[in-house]
Amino acid sequence: MASRYRLASRPDAGRAPAEKWRDLEVGAELNKLASGLLLASGLFIGSAYAQQQAAPPPAVVVEPAQMQVIAQRVDFVGRIEAIEKVELRARVTGFLKQVDFKDGDDVKADQILFEIEPDPFQATIDQRQAQLASAEADLKNAELNLQRCLDLLKSKTMPQSQVDQRQADADKARAAVLQAQAALRESEIQLSYTTVRAPIPGRIGRTTFTEGNLVDPSSGVLATIVRDDEVRALFNVTQREILDYKKSGGGEVNVKLRLADGSFYDKPGKLDFIDVVVDQKTDSQLIRAVFPNPDRILTDGQTIRVTLERAQEAPSVTVPQAALASDQGGSYVFVVDAANKVEQRRVKTGQQRDGRIAITEGLKDGDLVIIEGLQRVRAGMEVAPQRAEASN
C-alpha cells in the first residue's frame, strides 16, 4: 500500500508514456537554447572587450603654455562729450531776415549765422543819438553860465548862492550826457544782437527756424554748434576699483574706446580729470579722458565702452581660455606629458585678454595643455596629441 501511495503522488503518475517522452524532448531543447545564449553572450563580451583593448587613444589638440605679458584691463560704460558746445539763442525780439548756413555745415568763429531785421533797432539808435546831442548842448550851456558866475563872483557882483546853483545845473547836465551815452550804448548792443555769430569754430546742427519767423529770448535754441575735432569720454569708476588701482602701485594707464561694432577706436586717449567728489548714490567718481576726433567718428552724447589698460611689469604663463575647465574644486587644465599620458592640474588664474588667460600657479612655460577634446579624456589615460598649429 505504501508503494502504491508513493507512485500515485508523483506528478507524472497516470500519464501516458508518449506524453512523458514529449516533455523530456522540450526540456532538452530548452537546455540547448540556454547553452547557446550563454555561449553567444560570452562571445559578445569577449569581442567588446577585445575591441576596447584594441581602440586607439583619443585624439586631442594641444598647445604649449607660453610666457606673455597680459595687460590688466577693466571696461566701463561711458558717454562722449564735446570739448566745446554752444546753444545759439535769440537775445532780442524780431523777425528773421536771413539764415546764413545749412544744417551740418562747418562754421568758423565769428561767422554770421542768423540775421534779425535791424531797422527798429537802428531807429532807436538814431533817437538815442539825438538825445545825446541835446544833453551835450545843455551841458555846454550850463558850463558857460557857471563860468560867467565864477567871473562875477571874483568882482563880488554875484552872490555865492547863484554860483552854487549854476554849479548844480552844470553837474545835472553832465549827468544827463552820461545817461544819454549809456542809452545809446545799450541801443547799439541791442542792434548787435540782431546779428547772431558763431562764438566758436565747429559743426552746426539743424535749425527749425527759417526766414520770416518771429524769434525772441523765449524761442529756445536756434541751433547748436559743437566743436568735435577733440572729444571727452566721461565714465564712473567705483571706489573699490580706484582702491585696487592704488594698492597695486598705480602707474600709467592706457585709455581705449570700444565702438558699437566691437572694434577698438584707433586713436588712444589720455586721462585728464578725476572728479573731487564721490557720487553718494553709486559710490563712484567721475573720470574724464580726452580723445582726438579728426574723422568725427565720435559724436557728442554717444554711449561708448571705455577700456582702462595697464601692462604687467613681467610676463606670466598663459594658455588659451579654451584649455581652462572648472568644477567644485576650482579651475584646472589637462596636461599631456612626454608619455602622452593625461594629468589634471589645478591652477590659479589671472588677467584675461584676446582669448588667453594668465596662469599664476600650477603651470610652467612649455607645458602641453589640451585645448580641444577635453570631454573625451580623464586623468591617467593615454591620448594622441596633435599640435594646434598642425590642426589649422
Side-chain angles (χ1 to χ4, degrees), residues 236-288:
N236 289 289
V237 178
T238 65
Q239 290 298 292
R240 179 177 179 178
E241 289 165 330
I242 292 177
L243 186 60
D244 289 343
Y245 169 73
K246 292 180 178 179
K247 284 184 175 180
S248 63
E252 185 176 352
V253 176
N254 298 323
V255 190
K256 298 181 179 180
L257 295 181
R258 192 184 294 273
L259 303 177
D261 62 356
S263 64
F264 278 104
Y265 183 56
D266 60 354
K267 295 175 177 57
K270 180 177 63 175
L271 295 178
D272 75 330
F273 173 74
I274 299 179
D275 204 351
V276 296
V277 296
V278 176
D279 187 337
Q280 297 182 0
K281 295 180 180 179
T282 61
D283 195 35
S284 62
Q285 284 179 260
L286 180 70
I287 294 183
R288 187 176 71 195

Side-chain angles (χ1 to χ4, degrees), residues 30-182:
L30 291 175
N31 288 334
K32 290 180 181 179
L33 179 61
S35 299
L37 290 175
L38 289 173
L39 178 60
S41 175
L43 291 174
F44 176 78
I45 293 173
S47 175
Y49 179 77
Q51 291 179 2
Q52 182 177 6
Q53 292 296 318
V60 295
V61 178
V62 297
E63 184 174 317
Q66 300 175 7
M67 299 295 292
Q68 288 185 357
V69 174
I70 294 186
Q72 299 178 12
R73 175 184 290 175
V74 186
D75 290 337
F76 304 92
V77 176
R79 59 183 174 84
I80 296 299
E81 180 184 77
I83 295 291
E84 291 183 284
K85 179 180 178 180
V86 177
E87 295 179 341
L88 303 175
R89 299 175 184 268
R91 303 178 71 174
V92 294
T93 301
F95 290 94
L96 280 179
K97 179 181 179 182
Q98 192 169 349
V99 178
D100 299 315
F101 68 91
K102 293 181 180 179
D103 296 349
D105 277 354
D106 289 322
V107 297
K108 299 178 180 179
D110 206 38
Q111 178 179 331
I112 296 176
L113 303 174
F114 296 94
E115 296 181 62
I116 300 172
E117 289 185 344
D119 295 345
F121 301 94
Q122 184 61 55
T124 302
I125 288 179
D126 296 340
Q127 182 182 5
R128 295 289 187 263
Q129 288 175 339
Q131 292 172 351
L132 176 59
S134 176
E136 289 174 342
D138 291 341
L139 174 59
K140 186 176 181 180
N141 184 55
E143 290 176 341
L144 291 173
N145 290 333
L146 175 60
Q147 188 59 46
R148 293 191 188 99
C149 289
L150 291 174
D151 293 340
L152 293 174
L153 181 61
K154 292 178 181 178
S155 62
K156 297 183 180 181
T157 57
M158 177 67 68
Q160 182 65 43
S161 60
Q162 289 188 7
V163 174
D164 294 340
Q165 181 62 45
R166 294 293 182 266
Q167 182 66 55
D169 293 341
D171 292 340
K172 288 175 62 177
R174 191 175 294 109
V177 169
L178 293 175
Q179 186 176 8
Q181 289 175 340

Side-chain angles (χ1 to χ4, degrees), residues 2-21:
S3 175
R4 285 196 302 271
Y5 177 78
R6 286 195 297 271
L7 291 174
S9 64
R10 292 173 59 187
D12 57 352
R15 299 177 62 190
E19 293 179 354
K20 296 179 181 180
W21 281 109

Side-chain angles (χ1 to χ4, degrees), residues 321-334 344-347 349 374:
Q321 292 184 5
L324 195 67
S326 61
D327 56 17
Q328 294 181 350
S331 299
Y332 64 89
V333 296
F334 284 122
Q344 185 185 47
R345 294 266 190 94
R346 293 288 174 180
V347 295
T349 60
L374 277 73

Side-chain angles (χ1 to χ4, degrees), residues 61-68 317-320 323 334-336 356 363-371 386-389:
V61 178
V62 297
E63 184 174 317
Q66 300 175 7
M67 299 295 292
Q68 288 185 357
V317 177
T318 67
V319 296
F334 284 122
V335 179
V336 179
R356 299 191 69 84
L363 283 180
K364 63 180 183 297
D365 185 26
D367 283 343
L368 290 179
V369 295
I370 298 177
I371 61 173
Q386 183 181 9
R387 293 278 183 149
E389 296 81 2

